[in-house]
Amino acid sequence: MGELKLMKGNEAVAEAAIRAGADGYFGYPITPQSEIMEYLMTEKPYETTGMVVLQAESEVAAINMVYGGAACGRMVMTSSSSPGISLKMEGISYLAGAELPAVIVNVVRGGPGLGTIQPSQSDYFQATKGGGHGDYRMYVLAPASVQEMSDFVKIGFEMAFKYLNPVMILSDGAIGQMMEKVVLFDPIPRRTPEEIEKQCPWATTGKNANRKHNVITSLLLDSHEQEQHVFKLRDKYERMQKEDVKFEKIQCDDAEFLFVAYGSSARICQKAVDIARAQGIKVGLFRPITLFPFPSEELLKLSSQIKGILSVEMSLGQMIEDIKLAVECKIPVNHFGRTGGVIHSPGEVFEALKSTYLGG
Amino acid sequence: MGELKLMKGNEAVAEAAIRAGADGYFGYPITPQSEIMEYLMTEKPYETTGMVVLQAESEVAAINMVYGGAACGRMVMTSSSSPGISLKMEGISYLAGAELPAVIVNVVRGGPGLGTIQPSQSDYFQATKGGGHGDYRMYVLAPASVQEMSDFVKIGFEMAFKYLNPVMILSDGAIGQMMEKVVLFDPIPRRTPEEIEKQCPWATTGKNANRKHNVITSLLLDSHEQEQHVFKLRDKYERMQKEDVKFEKIQCDDAEFLFVAYGSSARICQKAVDIARAQGIKVGLFRPITLFPFPSEELLKLSSQIKGILSVEMSLGQMIEDIKLAVECKIPVNHFGRTGGVIHSPGEVFEALKSTYLGG
Amino acid sequence: MDIKDIIKPENIVYQKTKLFTEKPLSYCPGCGHGTAHRMLLEVLEEMNIQDKTVGIAPVGCSVLAYEFLDIDMQQAAHGRAPAVATAVKRLMPDKFVFTYQGDGDLAAIGTAETIHACNRGENFTMIFINNGIYGMTGGQMAPTTLPGMRASTCPFGRDTEIMGNPLKITELLAQLPGVYYVTRQAVHTPNAVRKTKKALRIAFENQKLKKGISFVEIVSNCNSGWKMTPNQSNKWMEDNMFPFYPLGDIKVPQLEKV
Amino acid sequence: MDIKDIIKPENIVYQKTKLFTEKPLSYCPGCGHGTAHRMLLEVLEEMNIQDKTVGIAPVGCSVLAYEFLDIDMQQAAHGRAPAVATAVKRLMPDKFVFTYQGDGDLAAIGTAETIHACNRGENFTMIFINNGIYGMTGGQMAPTTLPGMRASTCPFGRDTEIMGNPLKITELLAQLPGVYYVTRQAVHTPNAVRKTKKALRIAFENQKLKKGISFVEIVSNCNSGWKMTPNQSNKWMEDNMFPFYPLGDIKVPQLEKV
Amino acid sequence: MAKVKGAIVVDIEKCKGCSVCIPACPQEVILLAKEVNGKGYQYAYMEKPDACTGCVNCAIVCPDGVITVYRTKVEA
Amino acid sequence: MAKVKGAIVVDIEKCKGCSVCIPACPQEVILLAKEVNGKGYQYAYMEKPDACTGCVNCAIVCPDGVITVYRTKVEA
Amino acid sequence: MTEEIIIAGFGGQGVLSMGKILAYSGIMQNQEVSWMPSYGPEMRGGTANVTVILSDEMISSPIVNEFDTAIILNQQSMDKFEKTVKPGGILVYDPNGITRHPTRKDITIYSIDATDEANRMGNVKIFNMIVLGGYLKIKPVILIENIIKGLEKSLPKRHHGLIPENKNGVMRGMEIVKQN
Amino acid sequence: MTEEIIIAGFGGQGVLSMGKILAYSGIMQNQEVSWMPSYGPEMRGGTANVTVILSDEMISSPIVNEFDTAIILNQQSMDKFEKTVKPGGILVYDPNGITRHPTRKDITIYSIDATDEANRMGNVKIFNMIVLGGYLKIKPVILIENIIKGLEKSLPKRHHGLIPENKNGVMRGMEIVKQN
Ligand SMILES: Cc1ncc(C[n+]2csc(CCOP(=O)(O)OP(=O)(O)O)c2C)c(N)n1
Ligand SMILES: Cc1ncc(C[n+]2csc(CCOP(=O)(O)OP(=O)(O)O)c2C)c(N)n1
Ligand code: SF4
Ligand code: SF4
Ligand code: SF4
Ligand code: SF4
Ligand code: SF4
Ligand code: SF4
Ligand SMILES: [Mg+2]
Ligand SMILES: [Mg+2]
């Protein structure tokens, strides 16, 4: 077993990046995620593993640095919080268009606008539907613990390289700021330049005599070529749906009602399940771990036994659309959630379930 | 009746802005919409109506200029195309958060990334679900003709000021570049500073002794205040849904099948309806004119008589989600559409309907 | 003479300007933002232009300036105040417009907006609080952080090999023809405060004369971010910041004419 | 002597470098982009670093540079090439990295990325094609458009009152300590082309020596955007662009040392 | 000869005890109180009230603008 | 005395007829052809082949790099 | 009546403006019109084409992939658009620079030596008007007086002096067009 | 066993680090722990609070709004958190600066003069350790040796010299805490 530590979620992300053998991190400070870069700057992996850590002049610069690094086949990442992530939208669309692997962490705070620095889940649409332009998707992982903040960095890079697609870790201020025990995975050495060239024959590492020049671009002036390219992306997203959906079912076996929630909300719902069960109400929690690809099939399967779903999100209700589509509107799906940085308590969530489905 | 002209869609937007009495336009060149600013610079409304026209250093600067102008209660707008719109996401979220009126035109091209300069409809999600961070929505108008490119600028400003919310005109390269007849509405004089102060008592026009200082911000550090603010926004979006949904029904009365399409695709579908009707197939076209608020209620009503819907979009299928949610998954909804800048022809669309619902 | 004989309304020689709102300043004890605010307001008061002034607050500690300054204000997205102000001034050319920005806001993320508003010669006043750090977000390195200076993202001191040299954006801007007046001041001593006020007055008078950008940098402490007491930080500022960011006028058109 | 006796392989004294791909250049007839490409490739060929070089193409007419240059290349988002190159060089410090950008890309939307990469003293080569206009999008005004010069967004000529003065970004960058070598050249005459090549050679040699940014501006025509024939446009460039953007070295470290 | 006498009034509840006024006073009039105000700050007060000349130095450097200065002439 | 003789070969199909090479030639060797190539451009050719010295000026200014230059010495 | 036309050739041949004149002229005789360019990234050179629809009814789709008429001015366009003419439709082309001539039998093919004629007339700028004349001879969808009105509308005032020579070009085109 | 604790006071009183020591110490005795700060925009001054949960089982929600224990160090926090203690729970507070003392009858209230004691001991920095000691006296959820281990973990090496005085603070707190 790996090393046991007490850490903030943000610190776990940073430590995991080093251990995953990341080649570079590029970021710009913003609450509530600045600890990621601060941790890296304190650990100075550039003196140990050789990982590059750079504070960029802006989020726009940071995401484009990620683009440059990824285009060299390097394992690179960035992190930010909501307003900063909005600024990265063009860059993310470029990454998707150019089919580049990268991990982007969003430690979500309440919006819109400057909003509040408190935790929120109101960037679900942006993350899952493509806040940037064009037909693209990110692979979106939603950690619900500090442990997962660490683990998902590693998985994120795996998925990014498997699909040559940007991966988003959609966290929130609560998970970023809280400390929990975390078992750190054992460090993986950074790949050598030779390994990178082998793994990423498409990377721009300098054209040698044995191959054609490599070009990283998302420009396809011929619209038929562009269409073929978009179809290729679509096939990739469908493959994600087939091969890499992740979710968790808690006390679902005999459940008659279901909370569907991710991230912090899922933690809260877990406690709400306990409260409900203590009162003899058969509730389960279905936690999507990948928000895209959404675990639609599993949820549909489960829905046959379910009388009603409460989608619990720290937002006005965004994931609820995916839930409805997943269960094909066959059972009632309702939303409950606080927003704007307010966090619902387990008790509130339980009360919402009761008042929605059990006549108060 | 107003003046009759042959104009490009982009030119119609520019001319309409002047006639609507707009106070300012701030933009940055990008194909296929640069004619908007070029037309304005040629017409020089700053010498006639006094409208300010400024080429900004970037799309980010442009949207923030719009923010500044809107915060003074001025009628201001910007325009761009897909990658440029992605860069405006933070700014749009700020406009929504600070409850500012503004018109943003997106003449969509194929993405993701730099993509192609050809027409596309693949920014539907971004426009309707909020490509920026936080719980917000834009009021989204989808013109399908040069005439509507003109008319919707006026309606756009009306809605922006009615709801104090950013309005997006979601067009595409085809409508932006094509020329058609357009009947221009009669010019409306720009409001005087006094009229503006009366209409927009919240505007930052200089604090006089009779009122408190006005502040335009989207920052609410107290999350409970932020939540109340977000609830206020939600109520506004619900009001849009009640009061200002727009759509068009073409040959729907006896329809057994339905195309649902907006913008350029709706034009193409209209011809496909003719082709189908000529073959005795009872097809109608339902055209959402507001993409948010989506005309869900009407579509649901209509769906009782419908055997199947073909959502026709120049994308991999984005609006289809809203259609499914609208009809509550009660009838089959399928997608057809070319993407990446390729435009489907009426014949193709008709064939797709046949092969989807009529056994080829 | 008894103190209570002195403390009478008619003997007041200095008090906080009425242009402050009732809200207590949210800044850390000893932070220069408050003093800079006060001088700004005193100038507006003396020029009697409260009703004609629109200010643009940044994202940074002074994001909340709009809570304290009793004038119409907008809060701009991080770094975009010059773009916001551009529209405000162009749409209302008879108002007085100013931006108030920190070094992260103005010289990092907002570099393009700063340079281009200055280059266009927009006719407003820019106030630039250079404290060599990102105060609001907890003390990260700023473009203006000094070589060797510690911050949370350079905990071992700014290493110019990796992180580059501090950016003297003020000197760069001074070279743009659209920029009319550039000065660098401070607010940590009575004398410095007086000079800052004078500079701000000139900056707003220039606006009346439609001269283009007037740019007032104020070198200030961020005692929290620097992890010092306020007085220590002011001393440190004199010893370390001023040699690199020397106080005084950088571009004074009157002198140019000579 | 008969011509066919001259035209023999052994008599070749000049031909297009092999570092071009087979694709014909997509540029308008007479556009300087092609010549600039060729000089760049000749330098890479002479230094024998094709296999060690990574180039960053901008958004602008030269977005398609990657189709023509037979080296590994990335196409960056509009204005972001310096940020992209920063990561490339830091992650592969032993490679030669260059950016190739137009004036809209480098000096408008990309201003922040340009200034900060230069200020950090990133160790790569920047090539800046200043044609005073946005070529690719159909001839809109650029930050470098001359006063009075027409473009599609200033059809009556650039009015500096409204649109500001042209931005001499090169001169600004030259002042940053992270920038080592700055020169301004052209490619419209044989002599100019030769000088440009020399400058590019120096710029890449500097990279070998880890000197920071070497910045080569090339003033070039956009005959389409300017609505002239190529030769007219070159003449116009000499008469109008060069007085404002004088050719020659702007920062030469060797000289500084003297 | 007319002598100038000054006094300051500190808005105790708004004083943040930052001490910036202390070195600014040429007469060394000001010190921080042992007691704290409602926000937990030791506030500034006139330790040597007689020395105050009402020069306003303290007031203009006070970041929170909590000092009001009074001045009058007294015949010496 | 050895005289230098030159010649150029224009890749006709790739020439864009921009004329930039024409004023670059000190010997006024080059003109545009009346005919057009497959792309519709009048291409460059040696109108005065004898005058060419192989100085390569034309080739290095040609934006499309379509000129190859040959040079040899002949005994005069 | 609905006439769906594609005009295709090199950039610089006046393809887009020919379409524009047609569209303006259509308006002059109270028709519905649409003009839909295909735009490429190149500024000069490259191909250009435009779809023009003239109709007595509302035009549903401005985007069609079959045409009543194709006006073709270079080889690339011939390769691309010959096949898009509806059976029974017409194809008009200038043989100058054409290496593979059209072969379809189910459409009527006309040729017009407009390049040569324009050179002969000493005015290369009216090339496109000659072609336009040829087309109108075959399909008189627009009255000649409306073409003049269309020209007046589409040309900036300062160029109105050129209208007579443009009209000449149209007339000349009507004379020289011939069925293959 | 699950213990849900809120610690609340001014920034600068060591609220967050008291929580951190508790959490680290929990780990030392193999418990599940969570530490959840509330973070505000102000750098200095302002209020600070942290929720710490120690449990023998998996912790579901780290966010709770009712607590077994509230440790309260200023008036604002008293106003906000007195009401969040579960019936039967405990509230520990330092009366220094408190103007409105707690009044609930369904919880047990303890006070500890930690400010005074720290001043008396000439070491204001151990204020929070005194409070911690008081709390542990009442609820010995953590063994004292694990507190030491927790300190070792949470303090950087160069500060390990301070551990003995911190321990002193804890011991002193155990002595002086008293039920109201
Ligand atoms: C787009 C965006 N990026 C980052 C942030 C986070 N942020 C808030 S303030 C700030 C920097 C503040 O530093 P400075 O401008 O120097 O002002 P100071 O607080 O020092 O006065 C940052 C990075 C943000 N709010 N928005
Ligand atoms: C974000 C974004 N904004 C705008 C554009 C449109 N655009 C493409 S190239 C260009 C400017 C090109 O001008 P310049 O950089 O001077 O290069 P040139 O074509 O003159 O060589 C613009 C504005 C874009 N592709 N992306
Ligand atoms: S953090 Fe720094 S800049 Fe911000 S208020 Fe505190 S001292 Fe001032
Ligand atoms: S548009 Fe201008 S810059 Fe672009 S290829 Fe043509 S001449 Fe060159
Ligand atoms: S400067 Fe002002 S806030 Fe600071 S101690 Fe003195 S009176 Fe108090
Ligand atoms: S007014 Fe002058 S003398 Fe009096 S306390 Fe203030 S600084 Fe000292
Ligand atoms: S310069 Fe080159 S492309 Fe231009 S005409 Fe001469 S040979 Fe042809
Ligand atoms: S090589 Fe020299 S002389 Fe010969 S054609 Fe070229 S420029 Fe003229
Ligand atoms: Mg700062
Ligand atoms: Mg250019």
Side-chain angles (χ1 to χ4, degrees), chain B residues 17-54:
Chain B
I18 301 172
R19 288 176 179 247
D23 298 299
Y25 170 94
F26 305 92
Y28 186 78
I30 186 170
T31 309
Q33 64 79 52
S34 298
E35 293 89 352
I36 297 177
M37 187 164 39
E38 290 169 352
Y39 185 98
L40 289 169
M41 289 296 193
T42 307
E43 289 300 310
K44 291 199 277 191
Y46 39 93
E47 294 184 355
T48 52
T49 70
M51 175 184 179
V52 169
V53 186
L54 187 63

Side-chain angles (χ1 to χ4, degrees), chain B residues 196-342:
Chain B
I196 290 169
E197 279 175 46
K198 227 175 127 192
Q199 187 192 351
C200 308
W202 46 265
T204 54
T205 52
K207 174 208 176 330
N208 58 46
N210 308 324
R211 62 162 170 85
K212 286 193 158 183
H213 70 149
N214 283 335
V215 168
I216 301 296
T217 182
S218 60
L219 173 68
L220 285 161
L221 282 170
D222 181 298
S223 41
H224 290 273
E225 283 176 34
Q226 176 70 16
E227 184 178 47
Q228 285 315 309
H229 177 61
V230 174
F231 287 159
K232 184 180 163 207
L233 297 182
R234 179 196 57 198
D235 295 347
K236 190 157 83 174
Y237 304 141
E238 284 171 2
R239 194 151 75 87
M240 289 180 188
Q241 190 75 53
K242 280 207 198 82
E243 297 175 19
D244 286 297
V245 170
K246 295 188 202 298
F247 58 90
E248 192 185 3
K249 289 192 286 187
I250 292 165
Q251 305 205 39
C252 284
D253 287 350
D254 64 342
E256 293 174 1
F257 298 95
L258 217 53
F259 294 123
V260 181
Y262 68 94
S264 281
S265 278
R267 291 286 289 268
I268 296 161
C269 287
Q270 204 173 328
K271 181 131 188 177
V273 167
D274 292 341
I275 300 174
R277 291 269 170 184
Q279 302 199 12
I281 303 166
K282 289 189 177 157
V283 189
L285 166 62
F286 185 87
R287 171 164 87 101
I289 292 176
T290 51
L291 303 182
F292 185 89
F294 194 77
S296 304
E297 215 172 292
E298 272 304 316
L299 196 52
L300 178 61
K301 241 186 268 169
L302 200 56
S303 69
S304 59
Q305 78 191 52
I306 300 293
K307 293 186 191 145
I309 288 178
L310 197 65
S311 171
V312 181
E313 307 174 60
M314 277 141 58
S315 77
L316 289 179
Q318 301 188 1
M319 181 175 65
I320 186 172
E321 294 193 1
D322 283 332
I323 298 172
K324 283 185 182 175
L325 290 169
V327 302
E328 295 168 359
C329 311
K330 284 177 183 157
I331 52 170
V333 183
N334 282 283
H335 164 74
F336 173 76
R338 307 295 299 267
T339 184
V342 181

Side-chain angles (χ1 to χ4, degrees), chain A residues 51-300:
Chain A
M51 174 184 178
V52 169
V53 186
L54 187 64
Q55 179 172 335
E57 59 271 32
S58 71
E59 290 87 353
V60 171
I63 192 72
N64 285 287
M65 289 174 182
V66 164
Y67 180 95
C72 302
R74 264 56 185 178
M75 275 172 67
V76 286
M77 65 181 293
T78 185
S79 66
S80 188
S81 179
S82 309
I85 295 289
S86 288
L87 285 171
K88 293 183 197 281
M89 282 300 132
E90 189 203 23
I92 289 175
S93 177
Y94 266 75
L95 285 166
E99 295 198 79
L100 292 177
V103 170
I104 300 140
V105 181
N106 183 359
V107 182
V108 182
R109 54 192 251 180
L114 189 51
T116 155
I117 57 176
Q118 304 303 328
S120 179
Q121 297 185 312
S122 51
D123 298 355
Y124 178 93
F125 276 147
Q126 188 192 50
T128 60
K129 308 282 168 190
H133 60 286
D135 278 309
Y136 80 92
R137 304 284 191 150
M138 285 188 281
Y139 184 87
V140 184
L141 284 161
S145 63
V146 174
Q147 184 66 52
E148 288 184 344
M149 286 290 259
S150 166
D151 296 344
F152 287 7
V153 170
K154 194 170 148 212
I155 296 176
F157 275 120
E158 283 161 13
M159 291 295 142
F161 277 84
K162 173 172 179 183
Y163 291 109
L164 298 182
N165 203 67
V167 168
M168 175 162 277
I169 297 180
L170 192 73
S171 173
D172 64 60
I175 293 175
Q177 290 296 327
M178 76 190 249
M179 292 208 290
E180 283 187 321
K181 275 205 258 193
V182 49
V183 179
L184 297 169
F185 57 85
D186 291 335
I188 304 165
R190 282 177 60 225
R191 295 159 306 156
T192 62
E194 294 69 38
E195 286 168 345
I196 290 170
E197 280 175 44
K198 228 176 123 192
Q199 188 191 351
C200 309
W202 46 264
T204 53
T205 52
K207 173 208 177 326
N208 58 46
N210 308 322
R211 63 161 169 85
K212 287 190 156 185
H213 70 149
N214 282 335
V215 168
I216 302 295
T217 182
S218 60
L219 173 68
L220 285 161
L221 282 170
D222 181 297
S223 41
H224 290 272
E225 282 176 35
Q226 176 71 15
E227 184 178 48
Q228 285 314 310
H229 178 61
V230 173
F231 286 159
K232 184 179 163 207
L233 297 182
R234 179 196 57 198
D235 295 346
K236 190 157 84 174
Y237 305 141
E238 284 171 2
R239 193 151 76 88
M240 288 179 189
Q241 190 77 52
K242 279 205 200 83
E243 297 175 19
D244 286 297
V245 170
K246 295 187 201 299
F247 58 88
E248 192 184 2
K249 290 193 286 187
I250 293 166
Q251 305 204 41
C252 284
D253 288 349
D254 64 343
E256 293 176 359
F257 298 96
L258 216 53
F259 293 123
V260 181
Y262 68 94
S264 280
S265 277
R267 292 286 290 266
I268 295 160
C269 286
Q270 204 174 329
K271 181 133 188 173
V273 168
D274 292 341
I275 300 175
R277 289 271 170 182
Q279 302 199 12
I281 303 166
K282 290 188 178 158
V283 190
L285 165 63
F286 184 87
R287 170 164 88 98
I289 292 175
T290 51
L291 303 182
F292 185 89
F294 194 77
S296 305
E297 214 172 293
E298 272 303 316
L299 195 52
L300 179 61

